Amino acid sequence: MILGLARSWSLAGYAVAALLVLPLFALIFQALQPDEAVFGHLLATVLPTYIRNSLLLILGVSLGSLLLAIPCAWLIARCEFFGRRYLQWALLLPLAMPGYIVAYVYTDLLDYAGPVQRSLRSIFGWSSPQDYFFPDIRTLGGAICMLSLVLFPYIYLLARTAFMEQSLSLAHASRIMGCSPWQSFWRLSLPMARPALAVGVALVAMETAADFATVSYFAVPTLTTAVYDTWLGYGNLTAAAKLSAIILLVVFSLIGFERFARRKQQLFQKQSRIQATDLYPLTAVQTAVALSFCCTLLLFAFVLPFSILLSYAIGYFEQSWDERFWQLSVNSLSLALITSLICCLIALLLMFVRRSSPRPSDALPSRLASMGYALPGTVLAIGVLVPLTMLDFAINDVADVMGIKGPGLILTGSVVALIFAFCVRFVAIAIGSVENSYKRISPSLDMVSLTMGQSPRQLLWRVHFPLLAKGLFSGALLVFIESMKELPAALLLRPIGFENLATYVFQFVSDEKLEHGALAAVVIVLVGLVPLIYLNRSLEQHS
């Protein structure tokens, strides 16, 4: 009886995983279809430029994020100085800022008509652009800077944890052998933190490849913007799928190259918790330098853009606070709530199958389902459109055969496509959260429950669920925030006449009228700060 139930749960897990991985296989299938017209034209003209810009953007943002994150992570993890306790969580705040909003704010500040250049012309008496040189922010380099400012916390968080968990005996040995704190960092701590840094860089690379709004606003042609333009401009799904496949190839190649480079590297160390007495005390001058670096980074990455955004929201509050704003908020909240609920249910099912089944192969569904997180929003949208469009046509064809009126585009013409895309992309977050919670549940509880005659369903509901509640809530919260911020998939898959806060803000950003959408942008940022509060509590517990 138990074996039969286990098999039914396992089959359910495989079915859900197959559904979630379907867009990836549909995308590959569509990309293999012949298309000589649009894609051939792109290949002969602008595709090399798209690929070059995409690679330069990913590499530039990865390198920039590393240069910003590693010094902060080392200072916070291994040094003692004034303000360290507050900076350890404040440096996570830029994660709440969408890149395209930061890009608009700095463009408004630094453009020729912006306050910075106006002040320079007033001070030095310059009258035209020919009188002085000022770098153009709306370039590939500007996009790299903007994305580095908002993505470096991914690497900072992982690097900080890695530095804190490194063996103290090795650090003490390096100091006994005459190494300075800098030499100890360069020769010992940094190489040992490489696996964590690699994971952080992979996350940054995936987020950079997924970015559409920032590069679109800066008019930097990349593969992501090419997918958007090919689908909406040319209406060619096959060419868009081919471009999407190239994006996947770029992302997976970079990740695979890094793993190949460290394939023979092995690290064994005894982890220990850093105590206050183990931190390097900084001198007054060193403290000033550390504070200057961290505070300047925080200023430009979060404080300044959020302050300007807040001033816009206050100034245009009366124009923004209307019935449409409430409808947009309801749309965003509804999508995010439904997505987070479905993702948590899927994560609970897949991780329960993985834990309770004696077959190692039953770990496969959760791994397959997590692959969607690597899909950029534009790529995912194409992958979702292919199977849902085919299913819509099939439903209408069956209706015609039966002599009844077809229901129309009930999937691709509704929010069903959006919810499905969000679930495919963000279920990995919920799976990770539930997996971490499952690690704290002793297997002996399962044995006792089964011995007492509990069925797998009763075991899940009466034993596991109460113990997983906190992890489920955390996962739901993170999925909720990501769903509120997701833009590329929403732009491509939204039904006609449907908008949420993210698409609403981007519309004003594209028209260079962010002031009118600033209130919605502030809401997105404030909602994004919620999970950072949880991270802050976790960091304080380990400090």
Side-chain angles (χ1 to χ4, degrees):
M1 181 66 178
I2 294 178
L3 181 59
L5 288 174
R7 287 177 177 174
S8 65
W9 282 86
S10 179
L11 289 175
Y14 274 100
V16 171
L19 182 64
L20 292 175
V21 82
L22 178 62
L24 177 59
F25 291 107
L27 175 67
I28 296 173
F29 172 79
Q30 188 68 31
L32 294 176
Q33 302 304 306
D35 176 68
E36 300 295 337
V38 175
F39 186 77
H41 174 71
L42 293 174
L43 183 61
T45 55
V46 295
L47 186 57
T49 301
Y50 290 153
I51 295 176
R52 183 183 69 250
N53 287 344
S54 297
L55 288 174
L56 290 176
L57 183 69
I58 292 173
L59 294 175
V61 174
S62 299
L63 180 60
S65 300
L66 277 171
L67 294 177
L68 294 177
I70 291 177
C72 296
W74 169 258
L75 289 170
I76 298 299
R78 304 304 292 265
C79 300
E80 179 59 47
F81 60 95
F82 175 78
R84 169 183 169 272
R85 179 181 177 184
Y86 302 100
L87 286 171
Q88 69 175 359
W89 60 265
L91 288 168
L92 295 172
L93 295 179
L95 278 178
M97 293 292 295
Y100 60 92
I101 294 178
V102 176
Y104 178 87
V105 169
Y106 277 106
T107 300
D108 192 46
L109 284 175
L110 302 177
D111 259 355
Y112 180 77
V116 173
Q117 293 200 50
R118 286 204 312 267
S119 300
L120 290 174
R121 291 194 296 270
S122 176
I123 294 172
F124 295 102
W126 297 326
S127 58
S128 68
Q130 288 73 29
D131 296 335
Y132 66 100
F133 169 78
F134 197 88
D136 185 8
I137 189 174
R138 300 184 73 166
T139 60
L140 178 62
I144 290 174
C145 292
M146 297 300 102
L147 291 175
S148 297
L149 284 176
V150 298
L151 295 180
F152 83 89
Y154 282 111
I155 300 178
Y156 158 76
L157 182 60
L158 293 170
R160 177 186 179 276
T161 303
F163 288 143
M164 291 183 64
E165 293 179 347
Q166 288 177 358
S167 174
L168 290 177
S169 60
L170 294 177
H172 292 160
S174 68
R175 296 305 304 277
I176 293 174
M177 296 177 67
C179 290
S180 64
W182 163 253
Q183 291 173 324
S184 177
F185 161 76
W186 184 255
R187 297 180 181 179
L188 181 65
S189 296
L190 190 60
M192 291 172 62
R194 182 177 172 182
L197 295 177
V199 174
V201 169
L203 289 173
V204 169
M206 287 189 290
E207 291 295 330
T208 303
D211 179 80
F212 163 77
T214 305
V215 292
S216 175
Y217 179 68
F218 277 7
V220 177
T222 63
L223 287 169
T224 309
T225 59
V227 171
Y228 185 85
D229 295 337
T230 302
W231 170 236
L232 293 186
Y234 296 101
N236 193 309
L237 187 61
T238 301
K242 291 180 181 294
L243 293 171
S244 301
I246 296 176
I247 296 177
L248 287 181
L249 181 63
V250 169
V251 173
F252 289 136
S253 295
L254 290 173
I255 298 173
F257 176 78
E258 198 287 328
R259 291 182 178 178
F260 177 81
R262 60 183 175 93
R263 66 192 185 282
K264 294 183 179 180
Q265 184 186 48
Q266 294 184 357
L267 176 64
F268 302 98
Q269 61 171 324
K270 181 181 178 181
Q271 295 183 352
S272 54
R273 183 174 177 177
I274 297 291
Q275 304 294 334
T277 56
D278 299 316
L279 300 175
Y280 298 122
L282 300 185
T283 65
V285 175
Q286 292 171 335
T287 297
V289 173
L291 278 176
S292 298
F293 179 80
C294 294
C295 292
T296 301
L297 178 57
L298 182 61
L299 173 68
F300 287 111
F302 180 79
V303 176
L304 181 60
F306 183 71
S307 300
I308 295 175
L309 192 65
L310 191 60
S311 67
Y312 288 161
I314 295 173
Y316 287 80
F317 182 81
E318 293 185 0
Q319 295 94 319
S320 303
W321 189 264
D322 54 16
E323 184 177 349
R324 188 184 183 193
F325 173 78
W326 281 105
Q327 183 60 50
L328 294 170
S329 300
V330 170
N331 291 343
S332 290
L333 291 173
S334 301
L335 277 175
L337 283 172
I338 294 172
T339 301
S340 59
L341 177 61
I342 295 175
C343 285
C344 284
L345 291 176
I346 293 174
L348 188 60
L349 168 65
L350 296 181
M351 290 311 303
F352 177 72
V353 170
R354 180 173 176 177
R355 176 184 173 92
S356 60
S357 175
R359 296 180 291 270
S361 60
D362 283 339
L364 184 60
S366 61
R367 294 171 181 170
L368 288 175
S370 300
M371 292 176 61
Y373 190 71
L375 299 178
T378 49
V379 175
L380 175 61
I382 302 301
V384 166
L385 279 172
V386 173
L388 293 190
T389 301
M390 295 175 62
L391 188 56
D392 269 337
F393 287 163
I395 293 173
N396 285 273
D397 290 341
V398 171
D400 290 340
V401 170
M402 297 176 62
I404 59 177
K405 184 179 179 181
L409 302 178
I410 59 175
L411 300 177
T412 55
S414 68
V415 295
V416 172
L418 264 180
I419 294 173
F420 180 48
F422 285 3
C423 289
V424 172
R425 178 150 165 72
F426 302 127
V427 72
I429 300 175
I431 289 175
S433 181
V434 174
E435 182 178 7
N436 288 332
S437 296
Y438 255 126
K439 291 179 180 178
R440 302 185 183 95
I441 300 178
S442 173
S444 61
L445 291 177
D446 298 13
M447 300 175 186
V448 171
S449 299
L450 294 175
T451 302
M452 296 177 66
Q454 299 291 304
S455 66
R457 180 180 61 82
Q458 293 171 323
L459 171 65
L460 174 62
W461 181 249
R462 296 180 179 180
V463 180
H464 289 178
F465 185 79
L467 297 174
L468 295 172
K470 186 176 180 180
L472 284 168
F473 178 75
S474 299
L477 183 62
L478 292 173
V479 172
F480 179 88
I481 302 307
E482 292 296 329
S483 301
M484 288 281 292
K485 293 165 53 179
E486 174 62 27
L487 177 64
L491 284 173
L492 285 170
L493 295 174
R494 58 179 173 166
I496 297 175
F498 181 88
E499 284 192 15
N500 60 4
L501 292 174
T503 59
Y504 179 74
V505 171
F506 180 70
Q507 173 186 341
F508 286 110
V509 169
S510 301
D511 297 336
E512 300 194 0
K513 297 179 181 179
L514 178 60
E515 298 87 352
H516 297 279
L519 182 61
V522 168
V523 171
I524 294 175
V525 173
L526 291 179
V527 170
L529 291 176
V530 175
L532 296 181
I533 297 175
Y534 278 85
L535 287 176
N536 172 33
R537 291 179 179 177
S538 177
L539 289 174
E540 287 183 344
Q541 291 174 358
H542 292 83
S543 296

